[in-house]
Amino acid sequence: MQSKTVKPFKPFSSFTRRDFLYRAAAVGGTSLLLTTMNAWGMGINSTVSAPPALTGSGKGKKVVILGAGLAGLTAAYELGKLGYQCQILEARDFAGGRCQTARKGFALTELGGEKQTCAFDAGQYINHGPWRIPLHHQSTLHYTRLFEVPLEVMVNENDHSYVYSENAGPFAGKRMRIKEVKADMRGHVDELLAKSIKNKQLDQTLSADDQRLLLDYLVHEGHLSATDLTYSGRPGRGYTVYPGAGMEPGPGKASDPLGFKDLLESKLGNVYSAVHDFPMQANMFQPVGGMDAIPKAFEKRLGKVIRYRAEVQTIRQNDKGVTIAFKDTASGKAGSVTADYCLCTIPLSVLRQIDTDFSDKFKKAVATVAYAPVGKIGLQMKRRFWEEDDQIYGGHVLTDLRGINTISLPSSNWQKQKGVVLGYYQYQTAAIEISALSPAERAEFAVAAGEKIFPQYRKEYENAFSVAWHRVQYNLGGWAEWTDKTRAAAYPTLVEGEGRIMLAGEHLSYLTGWQAGAIESAWQQIARIHARASA
Amino acid sequence: MQSKTVKPFKPFSSFTRRDFLYRAAAVGGTSLLLTTMNAWGMGINSTVSAPPALTGSGKGKKVVILGAGLAGLTAAYELGKLGYQCQILEARDFAGGRCQTARKGFALTELGGEKQTCAFDAGQYINHGPWRIPLHHQSTLHYTRLFEVPLEVMVNENDHSYVYSENAGPFAGKRMRIKEVKADMRGHVDELLAKSIKNKQLDQTLSADDQRLLLDYLVHEGHLSATDLTYSGRPGRGYTVYPGAGMEPGPGKASDPLGFKDLLESKLGNVYSAVHDFPMQANMFQPVGGMDAIPKAFEKRLGKVIRYRAEVQTIRQNDKGVTIAFKDTASGKAGSVTADYCLCTIPLSVLRQIDTDFSDKFKKAVATVAYAPVGKIGLQMKRRFWEEDDQIYGGHVLTDLRGINTISLPSSNWQKQKGVVLGYYQYQTAAIEISALSPAERAEFAVAAGEKIFPQYRKEYENAFSVAWHRVQYNLGGWAEWTDKTRAAAYPTLVEGEGRIMLAGEHLSYLTGWQAGAIESAWQQIARIHARASA
């Protein structure tokens, strides 16, 4: 089922790591890195780490909040503290929005798809929405700390893991340890530069002192021989013989380096860069037991504020208030809520299909932004072969296998019998194509790819749970995908809101796809509501 | 109390990262990296990950094991499975040897020192002996897995942490984020090389194709401008303005890079290298709640096999068996044990002081190897300021402050109120000097150093627990420090054992200071005992 817009998956050569890994493993839009707008005008610190310090009271005022995702939950919690009477209308029978965790019994029926019921063993799960919290996302970490949601490290970099590409020249179709590629590319490059300095090929560029200092650095960083500046491997790339005990145990004949020309030709050096770019820097976190611990912590504190199974049908407002009509998805009965203000956190992909009385300009803005097709699959394996056989503990197998992008190993249940592997994290046309497959076919697709890298894959595969966010009824996409053009056209209008209705969500942030985007957007917009209500 | 052999702490320039970090943060001897011996002759795989597969039975035979550290516990457990009747004589009233965890109530009296009783809050602790398990140490991980000791990631690399040196030229006395040093050194170096290639200064070295591929790599790795190959910062080094939500939120004016000359002069580029060298590669682990979970798991399974408070006084053997005389340290009463064989795991630093009937040659070998003076201190802080204020979650602050070497942040109790910081990890003369101080003076030393880096340090400091392993009665050192010379002179003799007595422990390995060294040594030596007993 080839779409007309199928593009061959870019080989490493034309992907910067930013592109490759960011598309492969990031949950943020590329516009994050492209726009050059100024600091936020509302005067909150550049790393927003706390809710706005609002004074006054919301007593006697009602706010209806549409959606119990992270933005809606945050808004209800914070406005509640100010005395506002809030009610959240949530279409599902649980809170969290995209923040979901699939474990035994979790059910999902995509539009036009079969019902899936997750069959993972007790204790196993997959975070098929947000799956990691960057250390910089102090807004998300504000609530995990406040609500005492226990965190654990989510291993996001593991050089002992593999990189696998079928377009890697001499290393095509060969799984390589990432650390070998790193150690050897850097060693060879450092050798080249060191020798150029030694041979006085760079005299005009650096002073003699600086050359000496640079040589020192290169010998150190690249593990070069101090005498002849050559790179011939290092312990960090691995040993053929490991150090051990007893009489003649090593301590380690370092394995031979990969050839410089081969490495250059393979372009595998492009899977890493000098440092991790924001937001992927170590350390990253996940809540113990599943990301949905976060919405659950909100739910516990909001209680009856949230009305579940309330699917919004119409949105109306006048100068006196707002009226939201909804349908109870269990009984089919119609209902309605009136309030002084409304904070609508419904994804724009869904909102554009709802009957509202927004101005044409506003409706046009709502309809402007595209939403990302995104697919993820969790594969329960009977045996943690990646740990037992390959000594890979967490992290990602980097690959450009189409529709896979990354195979990610779990950072939970260390050394237990079983584990759930993220079998693919796909985007764009591959996500659209694979999502047309049935759950069983999607699993076969993932297993057929994975077994190219891990021979144990098929034998140990047990069952799967997959999601295609663009086919999920109340989301219709993974996240908002702004471009400079659409941001310029629609974003200010949406942030401004209209009348008594404000919008909030990851789509109204520069952290699209991140929980922090939703939370920080909510913080901003409740400040607006409060300012308006206090006026 | 200056020793004649005081050497000024080496500034970064003459330390390779191997030296600096390895001495600063490693628990392994430098001989690990220096010797070039061949693969272990006994035929076990180079990465030893399982006990020797021994057949036959030890039924009817007695083995007395001296010491309930990791070597002794391993030996008793494995020999017990073969039917041997084992008894461990352990001087302390708990098992683990150096594998200890200090938590509330843990008491320690060093030779010539005050009694310390740890006063950390419930849930807080410090692993003052072994504190991390490398992924490669499959022998240690064999037992954590077998005994279902829950593990968590021990964060051993955190680029968001600081490096601080008072000898860093233009950056002396300035705490720097490690990621900035990395990003900028690599960016500048990549720029230099890229421009050299562009300017055809390296024509003779690389073909035109290779130059093109290398340029591509450098632009990517170094985050260079594709047009003019310059480095002017990158998101990975941090932003002046972070991406956020709302109208004008960033998305991130990247902060300006540090100057190349300044960086060269500071020599801070030597705190990292192309990849981590074994054994420090991500990921590293620690048992949840404290490293002593490992010996406790053995204790649970060994039960009465271990006799506590039995301090070995004499070791005798003849052609019929071995006789060990001990003193009960609680009652003072003398006791003795006879057995067919003895596995002695007592550290050589202590063994050399015990009355034995070894040959003169053997005694000389026992007396040959030096043991490392090592000091560690845990500082309980009232507030996890490194997380709250500095957004540093785990990892190390690298420093060459004398007697400090590293300040390490805990990988447990994320986001809780308090935490225990490793305030120093000291070696050699600094360790000897500082250990002469009282516990309170040691804490003051640590706080006075730490507050140079973290202004919050003194205010948040609450209490401390310190250890100087060279002053601990049953250890007299952190680990064995072999040199090529002493290994050649004594090691084969010790590994061979004498008569019915075999030795085992980290000292008889190439993984000195690591639990894996003790475990793998025990695996080897029980194989010898079994071979001898079966003959």
Side-chain angles (χ1 to χ4, degrees), chain A residues 17 37-40 144 186 210 217 220-221 236 244-246 248-250 261 272 277 281 283 393 415 510 524, chain B residues 17 37-40 144 186 210 217 220-221 236 244-245 248-250 261 272 277 281 283 393 415 510 524:
Chain A
R17 177 178 185 269
M37 295 178 78
N38 294 325
W40 182 28
T144 53
R186 287 180 167 154
D210 285 344
Y217 164 79
H220 163 75
E221 201 225 31
E248 298 191 67
K261 284 179 175 303
Y272 60 85
D277 278 318
Q281 292 177 347
N283 294 305
Y393 296 87
Q415 298 201 304
Y510 283 82
Q524 286 200 14
Chain B
R17 178 181 185 268
M37 294 179 78
N38 295 324
W40 182 30
T144 53
R186 286 180 168 154
D210 285 345
Y217 164 79
H220 163 74
E221 202 225 32
E248 298 191 66
K261 283 177 176 304
Y272 60 84
D277 278 317
Q281 292 179 347
N283 295 303
Y393 296 87
Q415 297 201 303
Y510 283 81
Q524 286 202 15

Side-chain angles (χ1 to χ4, degrees), chain B residues 202-258:
Chain B
L202 299 175
D203 271 356
Q204 282 124 2
T205 331
L206 288 176
S207 70
D209 275 348
D210 285 345
Q211 289 186 36
R212 189 179 45 79
L213 290 166
L214 181 54
L215 261 179
D216 203 47
Y217 164 79
L218 294 169
V219 166
H220 163 74
E221 202 225 32
H223 202 275
L224 308 179
S225 148
T227 43
D228 66 3
L229 304 178
T230 53
Y231 173 70
S232 30
R234 63 183 303 153
R237 73 177 319 287
Y239 291 107
T240 48
V241 176
Y242 275 82
M247 266 310 299
E248 298 191 66
K253 183 175 165 348
S255 39
D256 293 327
L258 303 162

Side-chain angles (χ1 to χ4, degrees), chain A residues 359-382:
Chain A
S359 66
D360 285 346
K361 177 186 177 190
F362 200 87
K363 286 184 183 179
K364 188 175 176 193
V366 168
T368 294
V369 64
Y371 269 65
V374 179
K376 283 173 102 163
I377 193 166
L379 307 170
Q380 179 169 288
M381 298 294 184
K382 295 175 212 151

Side-chain angles (χ1 to χ4, degrees), chain A residues 396-413:
Chain A
H396 312 294
V397 172
L398 310 178
T399 180
D400 59 356
L401 283 174
R402 187 166 186 278
I404 302 294
N405 291 333
T406 184
I407 291 173
S408 301
L409 292 330
S411 288
S412 53
N413 294 315

Side-chain angles (χ1 to χ4, degrees), chain A residues 113-263:
Chain A
E114 305 167 21
K115 178 177 181 182
Q116 283 186 85
T117 306
C118 183
F120 297 156
D121 286 24
Q124 300 291 344
Y125 68 86
I126 189 103
N127 290 322
H128 53 284
W131 57 318
R132 50 196 171 181
I133 303 170
L135 74 97
H136 299 293
H137 287 188
Q138 290 292 309
S139 48
T140 315
L141 292 173
H142 169 83
Y143 288 109
T144 53
R145 184 158 178 269
L146 184 65
F147 297 157
E148 298 184 313
V149 174
L151 299 179
E152 59 192 6
V153 169
M154 187 278 186
V155 177
N156 200 52
E157 187 186 30
N158 186 345
D159 282 353
H160 199 59
S161 185
Y162 298 121
V163 54
Y164 176 91
S165 166
E166 297 185 332
N167 303 297
F171 304 129
K174 252 192 99 175
R175 72 183 188 190
M176 318 284 292
R177 294 277 188 186
I178 295 164
K179 64 181 181 174
E180 292 183 15
V181 173
K182 261 194 191 181
D184 296 347
M185 266 304 283
R186 287 180 167 154
H188 289 309
V189 168
D190 288 348
E191 174 181 332
L192 178 66
L193 185 53
K195 285 180 170 172
S196 309
I197 293 168
K198 192 104 196 263
N199 297 336
K200 305 196 178 301
Q201 284 166 288
L202 301 174
D203 272 355
Q204 282 126 2
T205 332
L206 288 175
S207 71
D209 276 348
D210 285 344
Q211 288 185 38
R212 188 178 46 77
L213 290 167
L214 180 55
L215 261 178
D216 204 45
Y217 164 79
L218 294 169
V219 166
H220 163 75
E221 201 225 31
H223 202 275
L224 309 179
S225 148
T227 43
D228 67 0
L229 304 177
T230 53
Y231 172 70
S232 31
R234 64 183 302 153
R237 74 176 320 286
Y239 291 106
T240 48
V241 176
Y242 276 82
M247 266 311 299
E248 298 191 67
K253 182 173 165 347
S255 40
D256 294 325
L258 303 162
F260 193 21
K261 284 179 175 303
D262 284 346
L263 276 166

